[in-house]
Amino acid sequence: MKKLWRNYKLYVEKNYLSQYKGEPKDIKFWRSLIFTRFMLFALPIGILAYIPSLTMSILTELWIVAIIDTLVILLIILLVLCTKLSIKVRKVILSVCFYLLSAVLLVFIGSIGPGLLYLLATSIFMTLIISSKAGYLSIIANLIVYALLALGLLVPETDIQFFNNYTFGSWIAVGANFLLINTVVVVSISTLTNGLQMTILNEKKLQNELLDESKKLAEAKEKAIQSDKLKSAFLANMSHEIRTPLNSIVGFSNILLKQKEPEKQKHFLDIINQSSEQLISLINDIIDLSKIESGALQLNYQKVKTIHLVNSIVHPMSKLCPNYLKFSYFFDTSHQNGELIIDSQKVIQIVTNLITNAYKYTKAGTVSLTISFSDDNNNILFKVKDTGIGIEKEKQHLIFNRFYQETNITTGVGLGLAICNSLVNAMHGKIGLESESGRGSTFWVSLPTKLDVELRPAEATNKTKLSENASKSGLKILVAEDDENNFALIHELLIEGEHHISRAKNGHEALALCQKNEFDIVIMDVKMPGLDGLAATRKIRESNNSVPIIALTAYSFDSDEERALKAGCNAYLSKPVDPEKLQNLLNKFSQISSI
């Protein structure tokens, strides 16, 4: 018997509650659970109650009651066994059935029957298993039934039991009290269920919020772990990459002090120079990444001739090509006299990074550069193709990530392609690759050449060069520099031009010397003790607007250049000083002064 009941219970619950499996337990679930429990007991209890009820109905010749009882028990059996009806339809059918049974019992049995009790129970039942609205509708239905029965009391007597048990007045009293109790109970249960629903909804909302926060925390944790791993790898690579050129610079500098053979001295100096450039390149990559991550990256759109842009890329890359590789390029010369509106320095940085990367991962064969334009000439296209090691397809989506390297067989910290990707995105362009492991790679970049942006002054495009005689005219130059070694370097770069050099060790000395003397050019270090270079420049500009001032600093952000120009400087040079750029500026300002 126990096993039979357990199987019956499992069948009913599976039949009624299977749709809620895996779903959150909201108010609909609890309403359905109440209905399931009712149906679970309704069948066995209904069968037990049906037998005496049917017997009494037959003995008293209440055939309508016998018929209704039979229909109800058959309907309960059908609702329990049928699996095709939805639970919502079952609730409605059962509620209507019980309401009809309640009305019949009230009319044909009267006050001695359970009619009034069934009507009250049906209202409560509908409120619990369907909704508060269904409960209120049942109250209205009860009111209509009571009103119809009250009107029936006014007509002559009939054989129906109800009309023999009640007078009009007594029925109005009973009906009023019943409706009052019916309303109070339904409203109370509705308030309770609505409150439970709000509680469940709020709990569900909080659970969802907690789940979202948990997911975010898990994602943040995973990102933090990955970031920590990347930073650890980055620091390890950075230590290696900085120490490698420093080892050559320091080591060969010490050897050079003892070496007297000119050929070996030149060879050692070449190694020191190469290592210095390698170190500067690494530092520039770090600075670029810092600019990008801090949001300090600024684009400098200028008009530039296409042929100048091409030459600025091709000539240096041809010289840097290793002896074991062949570098080639293709450019449609029909566009060489055209002008582009673009940040040429950023474009050069992107393409040279791609070519340098191709050199690094190509041990034999060729590296080629193709420069073309889109059909509407609004996009310039670069393709860098190599015959190197290639990249596996499943790793290609990682190649533009920071600190990522395809292999560990080469030097570098994995910043070049990430910087390229960020620069291309900043210029509203596209970058991608086509590659196959062992068969080389093709990196491509598409950049718009016409953008609606404000053009900044193109200082770099105004370079002029003097004749040999003009470059040796002997300018009076004030160098404001507090560091002895840096001053010694600037002095060596300037002394070849037979210039007359004065020195100031801080901003106060620079200001005092400018007030007492006339200089052709001032080279102003930005960071100095006391009065810094920019403050000194502003003081100088209060009385002297004609002397050209070149800002010299180890800072290299675009915002630093803007601050220097706003302070009154005419040009800007970052350390380490490029001798050619310094000479070009001297030529430019000395020529302007002579006009």
Side-chain angles (χ1 to χ4, degrees), residues 230 233-234 237-238 241 282 285 289 357 360-361 398-407 410-419:
L230 288 173
F234 169 71
N237 285 338
M238 187 64 65
E241 294 304 312
L282 175 62
D285 280 348
L289 181 65
N357 207 57
K360 185 189 300 183
Y361 290 99
L398 301 171
I399 204 69
F400 295 108
N401 291 352
R402 293 178 303 157
F403 315 133
Y404 179 82
Q405 287 181 300
E406 169 59 10
T407 70
T410 60
T411 59
V413 291
L415 294 178
L417 291 178
I419 291 170

Side-chain angles (χ1 to χ4, degrees), residues 114-133:
L116 287 175
L117 182 62
Y118 274 31
L119 284 174
L120 178 61
T122 302
S123 291
I124 296 172
F125 184 68
M126 292 173 68
T127 306
L128 286 173
I129 69 168
I130 300 178
S131 65
S132 298
K133 183 178 179 181

Side-chain angles (χ1 to χ4, degrees), residues 56-268:
M56 290 301 298
S57 299
I58 294 172
L59 292 175
T60 55
E61 297 183 352
L62 293 173
W63 305 112
I64 186 68
V65 175
I67 293 171
I68 294 297
D69 277 348
T70 303
L71 288 175
V72 169
I73 196 65
L74 290 175
L75 186 62
I76 290 175
I77 294 172
L78 179 66
L79 291 177
V80 170
L81 298 179
C82 183
T83 59
K84 293 183 178 180
L85 294 175
S86 68
I87 195 168
K88 183 177 181 181
V89 172
R90 297 181 203 213
K91 291 177 182 180
V92 173
I93 291 174
L94 191 65
S95 298
V96 172
C97 179
F98 269 104
Y99 198 87
L100 179 61
L101 175 63
S102 303
V104 169
L105 290 174
L106 177 62
V107 171
F108 289 95
I109 299 179
S111 59
I112 62 173
L116 287 175
L117 182 62
Y118 274 31
L119 284 174
L120 178 61
T122 302
S123 291
I124 296 172
F125 184 68
M126 292 173 68
T127 306
L128 286 173
I129 69 168
I130 300 178
S131 65
S132 298
K133 183 178 179 181
Y136 296 141
L137 289 175
S138 72
I139 295 174
I140 296 173
N142 287 344
L143 178 61
I144 294 172
V145 169
Y146 296 156
L148 291 174
L149 291 174
L151 292 175
L153 290 171
L154 298 177
V155 300
E157 291 186 1
T158 65
D159 294 333
I160 298 176
Q161 185 67 33
F162 173 82
F163 296 101
N164 298 327
N165 294 339
Y166 292 102
T167 63
F168 181 80
S170 63
W171 176 240
I172 291 299
V174 171
N177 284 281
F178 185 84
L179 287 172
L180 176 62
I181 295 171
N182 194 184
T183 303
V184 170
V185 172
V186 169
V187 169
S188 300
I189 295 174
S190 297
T191 303
L192 178 63
T193 54
N194 290 336
L196 289 173
Q197 183 175 9
M198 290 300 298
T199 301
I200 292 171
L201 290 175
N202 289 334
E203 183 180 355
K204 183 179 177 181
K205 181 181 178 183
L206 290 174
Q207 286 177 345
N208 290 335
E209 290 177 355
L210 286 173
L211 185 61
D212 290 341
E213 289 298 322
S214 178
K215 288 181 179 179
K216 289 178 182 179
L217 287 173
E219 290 174 0
K221 180 182 177 181
E222 183 63 26
K223 288 181 180 179
I225 292 172
Q226 292 299 324
S227 178
D228 184 61
K229 289 180 179 178
L230 288 173
K231 287 180 179 179
S232 297
F234 169 71
L235 291 174
N237 285 338
M238 187 64 65
S239 176
H240 174 270
E241 294 304 312
I242 290 176
R243 288 174 182 274
T244 298
L246 276 179
N247 181 62
S248 299
I249 294 170
V250 175
F252 281 106
S253 296
N254 291 330
I255 294 173
L256 194 62
L257 293 173
K258 302 175 183 178
Q259 184 56 245
K260 296 181 180 180
E261 296 181 25
E263 290 185 4
K264 285 189 175 182
Q265 287 180 341
K266 184 179 182 303
H267 176 63
F268 294 159

Side-chain angles (χ1 to χ4, degrees), residues 303-574:
K303 284 186 177 181
V304 59
K305 282 190 176 292
T306 308
I307 189 63
H308 292 164
L309 178 65
V310 173
N311 289 338
S312 298
I313 297 170
V314 170
H315 291 168
M317 289 297 99
S318 299
K319 293 178 182 179
L320 291 176
C321 182
N323 295 330
Y324 52 82
L325 293 178
K326 180 182 177 182
F327 174 73
S328 62
Y329 73 96
F330 171 79
F331 171 62
D332 186 355
T333 55
S334 62
H335 294 86
Q336 65 180 1
N337 292 324
E339 286 189 338
L340 306 175
I341 300 177
I342 205 164
D343 188 332
S344 58
Q345 293 303 316
K346 298 292 190 298
V347 174
I348 293 169
Q349 182 179 357
I350 292 167
V351 181
T352 54
N353 256 344
L354 295 179
I355 297 174
T356 304
N357 207 57
Y359 288 162
K360 185 189 300 183
Y361 290 99
T362 306
K363 300 306 177 185
T366 61
V367 173
S368 62
L369 169 66
T370 301
I371 304 173
S372 60
F373 287 83
S374 59
D375 294 337
D376 57 6
N377 290 329
N378 285 339
N379 289 73
I380 186 168
L381 311 173
F382 300 91
K383 281 188 178 181
V384 177
K385 185 176 182 180
D386 65 60
T387 56
I389 62 174
I391 305 165
E392 297 176 6
K393 287 186 177 181
E394 57 270 21
K395 295 181 179 179
Q396 290 180 14
H397 69 286
L398 301 171
I399 204 69
F400 295 108
N401 291 352
R402 293 178 303 157
F403 315 133
Y404 179 82
Q405 287 181 300
E406 169 59 10
T407 70
N408 58 2
I409 62 173
T410 60
T411 59
V413 291
L415 294 178
L417 291 178
I419 291 170
C420 288
N421 185 46
S422 297
L423 293 177
V424 170
N425 289 335
M427 290 190 281
H428 307 288
K430 296 180 180 179
I431 186 171
L433 76 152
E434 300 168 4
S435 184
E436 188 176 345
S437 182
R439 294 180 177 271
S441 305
T442 300
F443 284 83
W444 58 266
V445 173
S446 174
L447 296 171
T449 60
K450 295 179 180 179
L451 294 174
D452 186 18
V453 295
E454 181 181 355
L455 299 180
R456 294 173 60 190
E459 294 288 345
T461 60
N462 295 327
K463 293 180 181 178
T464 58
K465 290 187 178 181
L466 292 177
S467 64
E468 285 294 320
N469 291 332
S471 65
K472 296 181 180 180
S473 57
L475 300 172
K476 291 180 65 178
I477 301 175
L478 171 63
V479 179
E481 174 62 68
D482 62 305
D483 186 84
E484 294 293 338
N485 293 333
N486 283 332
F487 173 74
L489 175 61
I490 298 296
H491 186 272
E492 287 299 319
L493 294 175
L494 296 176
I495 200 67
E496 294 180 0
E498 299 182 0
H499 301 300
H500 305 285
I501 302 167
S502 300
R503 183 192 179 188
K505 293 185 178 181
N506 54 57
H508 291 293
E509 290 185 11
L511 177 61
L513 288 171
C514 284
Q515 289 174 342
K516 293 179 181 179
N517 304 279
E518 290 187 4
F519 293 101
D520 296 312
I521 292 174
V522 175
I523 299 176
M524 182 75 73
D525 183 36
V526 169
K527 188 176 181 180
M528 292 185 292
L531 190 68
D532 65 45
L534 298 185
T537 298
R538 284 189 284 268
K539 291 285 187 180
I540 292 171
R541 288 302 182 216
E542 291 177 3
S543 58
N544 189 339
N545 285 321
S546 60
V547 60
I549 300 178
I550 302 171
L552 185 64
T553 179
Y555 299 119
S556 61
F557 282 74
D558 292 338
S559 57
D560 298 315
E561 180 178 0
E562 288 183 0
R563 282 197 294 271
L565 296 177
K566 286 181 180 179
C569 297
N570 302 86
Y572 174 93
L573 278 178
S574 61

